[in-house]
Amino acid sequence: MSRPAKTRVPKIGFVSLGCPKALVDSERILTRLRAEGYEVSPTYDAADVVVVNTCGFIDAAVDESLDAIGEAIEQNGRVIVTGCLGARPERILERHPRVLKVTGPHAYEEVVGAVHEHLPPLHDPFSDLVPPQGVRLTPRHYAYLKISEGCNNKCTFCIIPDMRGRLVSRRIDEVLREGERLVKAGVKELLVISQDTSAYGADIKYAAASWRDESYQTRFIDLARGLGSLGAWVRLHYVYPYPHVDEVIPLMAERRVLPYLDIPFQHGSPSVLKRMRRPAHGQDTLARIQRWRKECPELVLRSTFIVGFPGETEAEFEELLQWLDEAQLDRVGCFKYSPVEGAAANALPDHVAPEVQEERYARFMERAAAISAQRLSARVGRKMRVLVDAVEENTAIARSEADAPEIDGVVRIAKAGKLRVGDWAEVEITGADAYDLKARILPAQ
Ligand code: SF4
């Protein structure tokens, strides 16, 4: 059989903004387009059409998205917009009336349909080869695994449920099969993401399914159990401190999944948490953290916080600092509250003045940095396994079990020698600062 003559391959430019969940959406769209014979262009110039996957979480992200759309229009002219900001097309069209099409978050079919309409695919089965793990935007050795879309919570500062809808979980067997495929394709670390990982499966009544001849339910603990059997690092993000989360701690102690929990606590004062309408706000989180650490002393906790939420008094802020001192979290991010168009918190009384927010932010960060530095210095002298993300000259930038990519610190290994991206390395920690560690490679046993 002779190979059909090939005309010019259609090329897509792609700009992916926002959180890891949006990144997974981008990967899905690109996987589908690649499977249909489109090529991905690294420059605006060479692209026939540019897709911009936007973020609309806070006003700063909206501005960044609108700027990115503007840049794509200026440089290329033919632009399709998707993602969270796409849920508010009027915002986009008002500033950029020339965009070809606007679609909302996780509207894969619609985006692909818009691409077909404006840049028809060229069917060539010989170029339709897509690697088994699909197209991924993360390095080959780690991958985000999205287990659900949407959210059933109603945090007052957030409009994600309005934009992305209510919780829709993927059935457990589908998720486990995807995890299996990724690990077979060389992925060494799976990062589980969603809006609320602890709520996984609630919408489909924890549907049962079988995988590798074993029965699993679509629920948090079975997810950890199944993924934990794949032999990769499994990192759990966006978990809330509900009682059922306790069940995963023994799996962490046995290293079936990484002893790492990303819990966006957002505050330590019960009254602020109530005003925020945070999931699990009634739980005694300090007692829970203490129990977890007793059961799994290696447990690393990362979290994010909001300071200067409407109505936050000095006493409530002090309560947060006190909470932080007691919780001794390993990794902490902090935002100054900023209103999001359409969020319920906008209507709350007593918004905190920007200079007070600034001052509280600085105090909070100082306290958090001191805790982080002290916890990291306790690791000096320890031996551990790390995963190499990059090699710059003769220094490898790696991560330990305690560090998620992009958001946590790194382990710098001088004299990296033969280490390559995606390698495991056994190292001894030789130094620490407030966020990162230094290490030396241990001689092979
Ligand atoms: S848990 Fe709260 S902050 Fe997170 S997506 Fe749901 S409503 Fe928004």
Side-chain angles (χ1 to χ4, degrees), residues 362-380:
R363 276 160 72 200
F364 179 94
M365 286 313 287
E366 194 184 331
R367 197 74 72 97
I371 296 171
S372 166
Q374 190 248 324
R375 292 188 72 81
L376 284 182
S377 69
R379 294 202 205 141
V380 175

Side-chain angles (χ1 to χ4, degrees), residues 181-246:
R181 244 190 339 264
L182 288 165
V183 173
K184 264 196 198 138
V187 166
K188 292 175 174 159
E189 177 177 5
L190 295 167
L191 299 119
V192 174
I193 55 166
S194 68
Q195 303 297 153
D196 178 356
T197 297
S198 32
Y200 177 55
D203 55 308
I204 51 172
K205 305 205 166 42
Y206 308 107
S210 81
W211 174 68
R212 288 180 169 177
D213 298 328
E214 260 197 72
S215 171
Y216 288 83
Q217 285 191 318
T218 305
R219 62 168 75 235
F220 176 70
I221 187 64
D222 281 18
L223 176 77
R225 193 162 62 86
L227 292 177
S229 69
L230 290 172
W233 273 3
V234 175
R235 199 179 290 284
L236 300 170
H237 287 282
Y238 310 106
V239 176
Y240 290 101
Y242 286 110
H244 72 271
V245 173
D246 296 355

Side-chain angles (χ1 to χ4, degrees), residues 57 151 153-155 157-161 195-196 240 278-279:
F57 184 44
C151 179
N153 300 312
K154 287 193 163 44
C155 304
F157 55 80
C158 178
I159 53 166
I160 285 179
Q195 303 297 153
D196 178 356
Y240 290 101
R278 290 296 286 165

Side-chain angles (χ1 to χ4, degrees), residues 261-336:
L261 274 176
D262 172 9
I263 305 182
F265 285 109
Q266 307 298 19
H267 215 280
S269 153
S271 44
V272 177
L273 288 168
K274 199 164 172 205
R275 285 204 297 283
M276 289 178 166
R277 267 198 241 134
R278 290 296 286 165
H281 67 75
Q283 299 288 323
D284 182 351
T285 45
L286 286 174
R288 172 147 281 125
I289 290 171
Q290 253 177 25
R291 281 201 303 277
W292 288 347
R293 287 218 169 107
K294 215 162 157 199
E295 212 171 330
C296 178
E298 300 290 299
L299 179 65
V300 166
L301 291 172
R302 92 114 31 216
S303 189
T304 48
F305 292 84
I306 297 174
V307 293
F309 188 73
E312 183 188 69
T313 60
E314 180 58 27
E316 284 170 335
F317 177 68
E318 280 293 338
E319 227 177 326
L320 166 62
L321 293 184
Q322 177 75 30
W323 186 96
L324 196 65
D325 280 344
E326 288 187 42
Q328 290 286 305
L329 303 183
D330 300 84
R331 303 287 190 184
V332 163
C334 182
F335 301 94
K336 285 164 272 180

